[in-house]
Amino acid sequence: MLQYGRFEAVHKSQLEALGLPAHLWQVLYKKLSSDTFDIGDYVAFGERDNSESSSVAEGLTEHSLCLNVDQLEAGGNVFLVDHAWTTSIDQIIENLDRVPGLLERMEKLTGTYYSLAGSTEMVSAGSLDSEIEANVSTVASMAGVSEERARDLLVSVNGCLIDAIMAAEDEGKEATPGQNTLQEQIIQQLGGSEALGGGKSLQWRTRRYDCTQYALDGGDQPDAIEVSVPLGPGSSARDVKCTFGPKHLTVSVRGSCVVDGGLPGEVRVDDCTWAVEDGMLTITLVKRVADTWSELILGEKHVNPFELRKHLTRVSGELWRFFQGYDCM
């Protein structure tokens, strides 16, 4: 462990950004040095009855911290909160995109929602300016840049905390092969494959699955469609029930319905297949008549990959705001 003088020199900007009073810095240092997690000696975590409350999102439980001692002076102590889950920004975004139900739960937690009619709800100029100023110190401390540079980065990415940190870290670096591949995939999904089917898109996304149409024998019209449904880690074929009908598809995972609706055309039921590998369910439908479908299930809602990626980044930014670093109370 660093000596206190070195600890203060290294972490001063973070401590100031957290708003921790200077007289508690040595207290924090001692607790970090000895892994002292003593908040349980002072408070208890209590659950509230929110059955009649309209302020708590459905499915969430409201909790509060209750004192275990007679008195706890404001600014009189600092406590460490141990992490139950540690991850990276990229992992957060990937998990939000691929773990079933996680994005919906985190949207409720952060109050950040994606509109199928457009992108994430826009904020007013005034609230955006306030959000940028609130994040300047965090970006400066996390990315090791000046507050002026942090503010410029936040302005350039429309106030997104995660994008600003990643932009600061990526300055002067060339894009990695993985980043290039992701960009190419998104561009392709947005209309890079329009040669078949009279200009209709051969790929699209919904909130629950991805679709790709293709020609089995290299013909001019796509006669098959591949559906990719993320199941999450640890999933197997035992968790899936898939039922094919001539013009209907039903998919359930662990008893929960994922897909259930009519198809825009007939399929050859005996030629349709499904398989599970590495947490992904892959369904292959073979059309009775080669044609380009504009949707898999009649009436389904598509999402724009670019806008969805921005939304995932914004949700992860809200989560990062709550969970980054260590928390001081």
Side-chain angles (χ1 to χ4, degrees):
M1 184 70 182
L2 298 175
Q3 295 297 316
Y4 175 73
R6 178 62 176 160
F7 169 82
E8 179 177 329
V10 171
H11 297 288
K12 183 177 180 180
S13 61
Q14 288 178 292
L15 297 172
E16 291 176 339
L18 287 168
L20 184 67
H23 69 273
L24 291 177
W25 291 4
Q26 288 201 31
V27 177
L28 175 62
Y29 170 76
K30 291 177 181 178
K31 290 190 176 185
L32 287 170
S33 301
S34 57
D35 284 338
T36 301
F37 299 96
D38 59 345
I39 190 171
D41 296 335
Y42 296 84
V43 299
F45 206 42
E47 182 175 324
R48 295 181 182 178
D49 179 9
N50 58 22
S51 58
E52 297 182 0
S53 174
S54 60
S55 63
V56 181
E58 182 181 354
L60 297 182
T61 303
E62 190 174 20
H63 295 82
S64 60
L65 289 174
C66 306
L67 281 177
N68 268 344
V69 295
D70 293 335
Q71 187 175 2
L72 185 62
E73 295 182 5
N77 207 336
V78 60
F79 302 100
L80 304 182
V81 178
D82 199 9
H83 286 272
W85 176 41
T86 301
T87 187
S88 68
I89 296 173
D90 289 340
Q91 287 175 325
I92 292 174
I93 294 175
E94 181 179 355
N95 288 340
L96 288 172
D97 191 28
R98 290 303 178 187
V99 175
L102 180 61
L103 177 58
E104 288 75 12
R105 297 198 301 272
M106 295 303 100
E107 285 175 330
K108 288 182 178 179
L109 179 65
T110 62
T112 305
Y113 296 91
Y114 179 85
S115 170
L116 289 172
S119 60
T120 306
E121 182 179 354
M122 299 296 292
V123 296
S124 65
S127 60
L128 178 59
D129 289 342
S130 299
E131 183 177 347
I132 288 174
E133 289 303 318
N135 288 334
V136 165
S137 59
T138 302
V139 173
S141 61
M142 295 298 298
V145 298
S146 67
E147 290 197 353
E148 182 179 358
R149 181 57 186 150
R151 185 176 291 103
D152 289 342
L153 288 168
L154 283 163
V155 170
S156 69
V157 296
N158 204 33
C160 180
L161 177 64
I162 297 296
D163 278 353
I165 294 173
M166 294 179 70
E169 293 177 347
D170 289 342
E171 283 186 337
K173 297 180 181 179
E174 294 183 0
T176 65
Q179 289 172 326
N180 289 332
T181 299
L182 176 61
Q183 292 170 354
E184 290 169 2
Q185 289 175 345
I186 292 176
I187 291 171
Q188 187 179 33
Q189 285 178 305
L190 282 176
S193 302
E194 295 187 348
L196 301 180
K200 294 181 181 178
S201 176
L202 296 179
Q203 294 179 306
W204 64 87
R205 294 197 64 178
T206 73
R207 286 288 292 259
R208 292 194 169 189
Y209 51 84
D210 300 354
C211 296
T212 302
Q213 299 181 88
Y214 59 96
L216 286 171
D217 299 319
D220 293 332
Q221 291 288 340
D223 53 2
I225 181 168
E226 183 176 283
V227 185
S228 301
V229 185
L231 303 179
S235 301
S236 68
R238 293 190 300 269
D239 301 318
V240 177
K241 183 178 181 181
C242 191
T243 304
F244 301 112
K247 295 194 66 174
H248 198 96
L249 175 64
T250 303
V251 180
S252 61
V253 179
R254 302 183 190 91
S256 177
C257 182
V258 176
V259 179
D260 185 15
L263 304 172
E266 285 194 31
V267 297
R268 301 180 185 274
V269 174
D270 293 340
D271 295 328
C272 297
T273 62
W274 64 272
V276 176
E277 184 176 358
D278 296 332
M280 182 70 70
L281 167 63
T282 302
I283 302 169
T284 301
L285 302 177
V286 179
K287 305 171 186 176
R288 185 167 294 279
V289 178
D291 189 18
T292 303
W293 293 358
S294 59
E295 56 191 349
L296 172 69
I297 301 299
L298 297 173
E300 71 184 6
K301 302 295 184 182
H302 298 175
V303 297
N304 181 310
F306 276 118
E307 295 297 340
L308 179 60
R309 179 76 179 184
K310 287 166 59 178
H311 174 60
L312 295 174
T313 302
R314 188 172 181 82
V315 173
S316 66
E318 292 300 311
L319 293 172
W320 186 268
R321 189 195 310 279
F322 294 131
F323 301 138
Q324 61 92 18
Y326 49 79
D327 300 322
C328 296
M329 302 181 62

